[in-house]
Structures are given as C-alpha cells and as structure tokens.
C-alpha cells in the first residue's frame, strides 16, 4: 500500500451506460466526474503522482482501470477482462503500460479482471468470479510467477462482482472484509476487520500510504477504522456505486 505512482482514466460521457448487475438508475455524469476528480485529489494528497488518461467513449467502464491490468514496481500484466464489452480495454491500456514499465507481460489465456486480484505482502490472491475463470486465473499465476510473485487461486462468494468488491488490504497484515468473504477462510494468514452489517460495499476501500480512502456513505466503517488507529479519508462513491464500482477500481497503483 506504499505507492508513488498511479494511473487513472477520466470518465467518458458513456460512463452512465456502465455495466450494472441491478439497475438502480443511471448515475449522473456530473456526479461521476466530481467523484473521480475528488479521488484524484485524494491520491495526490496522499503523496501519489497521478497520470490521468483521456476518456474512451467506446468503453463505458474504462474509468475502472484496475480491471484490464495489474501493476507492480517490477512490472505489469495486461489482463483479459471477462465482460465482453470490456475486453477491448486491455489493448487501450497496454501501450500506456509499455511506456511506464520495462517488463509488461500479457495474460495468455482465459479471462481475468484486476478487481479479482488482492496483492498482499507474501502472496497474491486471485478470486474466481463471473469475470475471472479458472483458465485465466491459472495463466495469471504463471505470469505472476515470471515476475517473481507467488499467487493462489481462491473463490469469490456467489453474487459478488469482484473479489475486491468485498475486501481491501488496509495494512501489511490486515484486510478489511465483508463477513461473507471472511467466512470463506481465505484470509487465514491475515488479520481481518469485518465491515458492519449493512455497509458491505465499504469493504472496497483503498489504503494509500498513510490514509485509508473509504466511501463517505459508510460512517460505521469509518468509525471502526478510526478506532483501530487508521487515518480515514471519506470520499463520495454514490454515483459510481450505481455501476457496481468502489474506490479500488479507479486506479492502477505502484
Ligand atoms: C463492471 O461491471 O465491470 C463495472 N461497471 C464496474 C467495475 C468495478 N471494478 C471493480 O470492482 N474492480
């Protein structure tokens, strides 16, 4: 969670047509733009140099740059997003990564979304989901091995979009998680803080250097984190939540 750099992409006006599992109405474009700008400011305030990519009208969900790639200080992996409308985002992010990283690998088979990948200090957890299949997860384990990283394939609870919709690493050995994900036993080697009932979406938080970015509409989670000594920065996620997104999805960080 110590990051010097991040890549984000401005939302296109097509973002209002982003994928969603349940239609709770279109997000407002101005609202998404405001949430995205505040997010960039929060990353910069946390000490991160942010590269802002131009919007891609043809890809409504391309604001969620975390899904088509994985980045580490030692290199990057271009993934194959599992939603048909998002697969083309990989070719859009690849040249950016080739410019920023010396080593860029390509996922060679199957499908995998970055939203299903949780990097912890000793290993990387890859959650199988509707977007990340066994073939993609195995190809990703192989690619990560070439970058010198150990990875493990785990399950994502049914009905959860991405593994990281339900968890985030909040320090070197602690995850913030929903009860349903923690109960699956995937975090046996980590400490776990469970988000309060009714605030499940707050688990998609983001530790960046000294602060934890948390959805502003989850006050009980913010209180719990503060009580545990974390410095919380609340950010509005009301509009992006309408297209099933949270704080980790909107940047690539290293
Ligand atoms: C999608 O369904 O792909 C987008 N509407 C939301 C992606 C959110 N990304 C993430 O959880 N990593």
């Amino acid at each position: 969670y110590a990051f010097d750099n991040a890549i984000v992409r401005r939302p296109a006006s097509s973002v209002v047509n982003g994928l969603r599992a349940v239609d709770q109405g279109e997000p407002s474009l101005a609202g998404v733009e405001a949430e995205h700008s505040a997010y960039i400011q929060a990353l910069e305030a946390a000490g991160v140099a942010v590269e802002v990519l131009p919007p891609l009208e043809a890809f409504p969900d391309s604001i969620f740059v975390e899904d088509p790639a994985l980045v580490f200080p030692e290199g990057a992996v271009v993934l194959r997003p599992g939603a048909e409308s998002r697969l083309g985002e990989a070719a859009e992010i690849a040249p950016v990564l080739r410019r920023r990283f010396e080593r860029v690998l390509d996922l060679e088979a199957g499908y995998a979304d970055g939203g299903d990948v949780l990097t912890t200090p000793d290993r990387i957890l890859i959650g199988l989901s509707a977007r990340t299949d066994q073939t993609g997860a195995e190809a990703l384990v192989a690619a990560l091995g070439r970058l010198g990283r150990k990875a493990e394939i785990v399950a994502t609870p049914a009905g959860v979009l991405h593994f990281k919709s339900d968890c985030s690493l909040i320090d070197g050995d602690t995850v913030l998680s929903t009860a349903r994900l923690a109960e699956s036993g995937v975090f046996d080697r980590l400490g776990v803080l469970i988000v309060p009932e009714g605030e499940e979406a707050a688990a998609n938080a983001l530790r960046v250097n000294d602060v934890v970015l948390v959805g502003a509409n989850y006050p009980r989670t913010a209180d719990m984190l503060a009580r545990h000594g974390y410095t919380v920065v609340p950010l509005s996620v009301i509009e992006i939540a309408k297209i099933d997104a949270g704080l980790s999805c909107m940047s690539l960080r290293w």
Side-chain angles (χ1 to χ4, degrees), residues 106-187:
D106 291 300
L107 188 75
E108 283 174 358
Y111 297 94
D113 276 18
D116 284 319
V117 182
L118 180 74
T119 299
T120 77
D122 73 325
R123 69 208 156 124
I124 293 170
L125 299 177
I126 305 168
L128 297 174
S129 73
R131 302 287 177 85
T132 296
D133 62 10
Q134 184 72 33
T135 308
E138 284 171 10
L140 185 52
V141 172
L144 291 169
R146 275 184 268 142
L147 288 178
R149 297 255 175 177
K150 195 167 126 200
E152 187 181 325
I153 300 172
V154 295
T156 304
V160 176
L161 172 62
H162 283 126
F163 188 75
K164 267 189 307 188
S165 306
D166 268 36
C167 67
S168 40
L169 189 79
I170 51 171
D171 63 39
D173 49 22
T174 312
V175 287
L176 178 68
S177 173
T178 59
R180 64 188 167 207
L181 177 57
E183 278 158 14
S184 72
V186 285
F187 302 127

Side-chain angles (χ1 to χ4, degrees), residues 1-8 40 42-52 71-74 100-101 206-210 251-254:
Y1 58 86
F3 302 119
D4 296 323
N5 297 288
I7 293 172
V8 304
I40 294 172
L43 291 177
E44 288 174 342
V48 178
V50 182
E51 176 175 356
V52 183
V71 298
F72 307 97
E74 64 270 27
R100 298 295 302 267
F101 293 89
L206 185 61
R207 173 77 192 256
V208 183
N209 300 332
D210 295 336
S251 58
L252 287 166
R253 308 158 295 275
W254 73 101

Side-chain angles (χ1 to χ4, degrees), residues 7-13 15 29 32-38 40-41 44 51-57 59-65 250:
I7 293 172
V8 304
R9 187 183 292 286
R10 288 262 180 229
S13 53
V15 71
L29 175 58
V32 174
E33 286 170 344
E35 290 177 0
H36 194 256
S37 295
I40 294 172
Q41 279 168 24
E44 288 174 342
E51 176 175 356
V52 183
L53 303 176
L56 294 173
E57 207 57 55
F59 296 100
D61 287 299
S62 56
I63 172 179
F64 307 120
V65 283
M250 294 193 289

